Amino acid sequence: MLQGRKILLGITGSIAAYKAAVLVRNLIREGAEVKVIMTEAAKDFISPLTLATLSKHPVSSGIFSNGVWENHVMLGRWADLMLVAPLSCNTLAKMEAGICDNLLLAVYLSANCPVMLAPAMDEDMWKHPATKRNLKSLEAFGNLIVPVSNGELASGLFGEGRMAEPETIVSAVLEHFQNRERLRGRKVLISAGPTYEHIDPVRFIGNHSSGKMGVALARAFEQCGASVTLVLGPVSNKFSLEGLEVIRVQTADEMFQACNRVFEEADITVMAAAVADYTPVAVANEKIKKSEETWSLTLKKTPDILKSLGQRKTGNQVLAGFALETTNERENAMNKLHQKNADMIVLNSLREDGAGFGKDTNRVTIFDRKGGEVNFEMKSKTDVAKDIVEYIINYIHA
Ligand code: CTP
């Protein structure tokens, strides 16, 4: 049920816009209040009058209407969810680029509610690498995507690219609101990214972690309604971190301090960061000049954050770690589970093509303290994150 939920429906120029009338009616039938904004191109496919009549609200379209400026910020603030259906290839690309040349885009860019996108386009446009890339970044920005379906397209061809049916979109909206109740009131701590251990003012010891897996996890927990604190190492990706409390750190020691501060309050903690195991004993104040043919740097162990949190963990807290292994994967992961007193270990192997550092996909196996072991298929990191969250929720209720 969508009783009391406010949905802002954005409609763009695609033949699938004719289905927006059914979508509005079905959302209202579920109890939602719906307001519609549409692009100029959308009006060629469906009349604003139809949508205004069905939604019982005037339809907004231009940045100005009747000489009055439309307050796009307030439209975004009014909504509990912004749903763009259909989302044309053109608007999809503009959203990715941050272009703001109509009211719908201005509302999208300023909205601080969750945004759900239901793309619709011809198969060749759908399969173009630019579209794939744009959709991937929109998903990484935290937008929810309703997958396209297969079938007859406006061109007369059959293939992928059709907008999901209104019933499917309404189910996705219902699922979204139900999801947000699942971890409401729970606090989650995630570590992500690499750490940089300084050698001198210009050099450091780092690793290839991109932070993508940890940020996807933070996002997946947030989508389940949890309050998420993300302790994030130095990453070069420009993530959208809206809705997350972010503590930026550089070194393993800073990550340790930050996690220690937050841990006590956290119901669920996942250490996804690739923490450096060693750090220089001393950091030089000036740039180290080259001299000898060989040079040794003395390193000391960094604090093992997961292990230390494992020692402090109470019976009400769930603690998960990652293991990155190249040999004896299962055995090493099980050892980490016990030695670090974690509730579960998510194993990813660097030997898998498409898994690991910097990739958009991952393949994981989860081992837990109660003897559970589940192998997952290769998936996008967004979907792997959802699997991990699901696993943890089931673990809590087991
Ligand atoms: N970890 C940590 N603090 C460290 C090192 C690792 O919290 N100083 C955490 C990681 O975030 C991960 C888990 O421990 O959740 C396992 O990390 P991994 O690098 O696979 O293992 P290590 O414990 O570092 O052991 P090794 O490098 O010998 O495999």
Side-chain angles (χ1 to χ4, degrees):
M1 288 293 281
L2 296 172
Q3 214 64 45
R5 304 291 190 185
K6 297 186 183 109
I7 297 175
L8 185 62
L9 175 63
I11 306 175
T12 70
S14 152
I15 180 67
Y18 82 90
K19 294 183 185 170
V22 180
L23 186 55
V24 172
R25 202 192 53 195
N26 289 0
L27 287 169
I28 289 174
R29 240 186 223 161
E30 288 290 340
E33 186 179 354
V34 180
K35 286 188 183 177
V36 175
I37 44 177
M38 56 202 299
T39 62
E40 280 307 313
K43 292 181 186 169
D44 290 333
F45 297 95
I46 185 163
S47 123
L49 184 61
T50 308
L51 297 159
T53 311
L54 287 170
S55 69
K56 301 187 181 70
H57 283 291
V59 170
S60 308
S61 185
I63 301 258
F64 301 96
S65 82
N66 300 327
V68 179
W69 178 68
E70 278 278 4
N71 191 335
H72 58 86
V73 176
M74 283 311 158
L75 271 172
R77 294 220 164 163
W78 171 83
D80 297 315
L81 175 74
M82 179 179 187
L83 167 66
V84 185
L87 171 64
S88 68
C89 190
N90 185 38
T91 300
L92 186 150
K94 286 182 181 177
M95 282 177 167
E96 200 278 337
I99 291 172
C100 184
D101 64 359
N102 62 38
L103 181 71
L104 190 148
L105 288 162
V107 174
Y108 166 70
L109 289 170
S110 57
N112 42 26
C113 60
V115 178
M116 185 178 281
L117 308 172
M121 64 198 77
D122 238 47
E123 187 174 35
D124 294 334
M125 294 158 91
W126 173 248
K127 291 202 162 151
H128 194 281
T131 307
K132 293 273 168 246
R133 183 202 56 200
N134 291 341
L135 198 69
K136 207 185 287 168
S137 24
L138 285 176
E139 193 170 30
F141 291 167
N143 296 289
L144 303 155
I145 313 292
V146 187
V148 295
S149 66
N150 234 297
E152 190 176 357
L153 300 163
S155 56
L157 298 172
F158 280 79
E160 250 180 88
R162 264 171 78 100
M163 183 178 83
E165 291 304 321
E167 295 71 25
T168 312
I169 298 175
V170 172
S171 301
V173 171
L174 282 163
E175 197 186 313
H176 160 73
F177 283 113
Q178 281 158 4
N179 230 355
R180 293 199 75 78
E181 295 307 313
R182 299 180 80 197
L183 291 174
R184 181 169 300 286
R186 304 272 188 149
K187 295 203 164 108
V188 173
L189 164 63
I190 309 281
S191 73
T195 63
Y196 284 179
E197 308 304 319
H198 303 297
I199 297 172
D200 68 14
V202 292
R203 302 181 180 95
F204 59 84
I205 301 171
N207 60 64
H208 293 300
S209 168
S210 62
K212 284 181 187 171
M213 191 62 247
V215 172
L217 262 171
R219 184 60 67 207
F221 275 112
E222 188 263 334
Q223 283 168 358
C224 286
S227 314
V228 181
T229 303
L230 175 68
V231 178
L232 184 59
V235 286
S236 50
N237 279 307
K238 296 271 176 285
F239 294 109
S240 157
L241 301 170
E242 185 107 357
L244 309 173
E245 190 176 328
V246 183
I247 306 176
R248 299 259 185 188
V249 295
Q250 287 264 321
T251 65
D253 202 50
E254 286 168 13
M255 188 171 272
F256 180 55
Q257 309 291 341
C259 290
N260 263 337
R261 282 200 304 277
V262 182
F263 180 67
E264 202 172 307
E265 294 276 295
D267 301 295
I268 299 167
T269 298
V270 186
M271 294 285 104
V275 189
D277 288 331
Y278 290 92
T279 190
V281 167
V283 182
N285 287 331
E286 304 297 337
K287 184 183 168 208
I288 299 169
K289 303 297 285 179
K290 68 169 174 278
S291 54
E292 308 301 321
E293 277 308 305
T294 59
W295 176 60
S296 318
L297 185 64
T298 310
L299 305 175
K300 61 178 182 193
K301 262 193 181 160
T302 55
D304 189 323
I305 307 170
L306 179 61
K307 192 171 178 183
S308 148
L309 300 182
Q311 284 159 0
R312 287 174 54 196
K313 181 169 75 84
T314 64
N316 300 325
Q317 291 177 299
V318 175
L319 177 63
F322 270 72
L324 186 66
E325 308 294 342
T326 51
T327 52
N328 298 333
E329 295 160 337
R330 191 171 185 282
E331 191 189 331
N332 286 335
M334 293 303 269
N335 285 342
K336 279 176 190 166
L337 177 70
H338 295 294
Q339 282 162 9
K340 303 195 186 210
N341 196 31
D343 291 289
M344 64 191 72
I345 288 285
V346 182
L347 167 71
N348 45 29
S349 164
L350 264 187
R351 287 195 297 192
E352 295 275 355
D353 261 0
F357 284 154
K359 305 270 170 52
D360 290 318
T361 48
N362 204 1
R363 187 175 184 285
V364 303
T365 305
I366 305 183
F367 302 92
D368 73 52
R369 186 159 278 280
K370 298 175 187 163
E373 176 174 339
V374 178
N375 257 296
F376 293 88
E377 288 166 14
M378 180 84 68
K379 295 179 179 186
S380 71
K381 286 189 173 170
T382 307
D383 287 339
V384 172
K386 286 182 190 157
D387 286 343
I388 296 172
V389 171
E390 206 58 45
Y391 198 99
I392 292 177
I393 292 176
N394 290 334
Y395 183 86
I396 291 172
H397 294 129

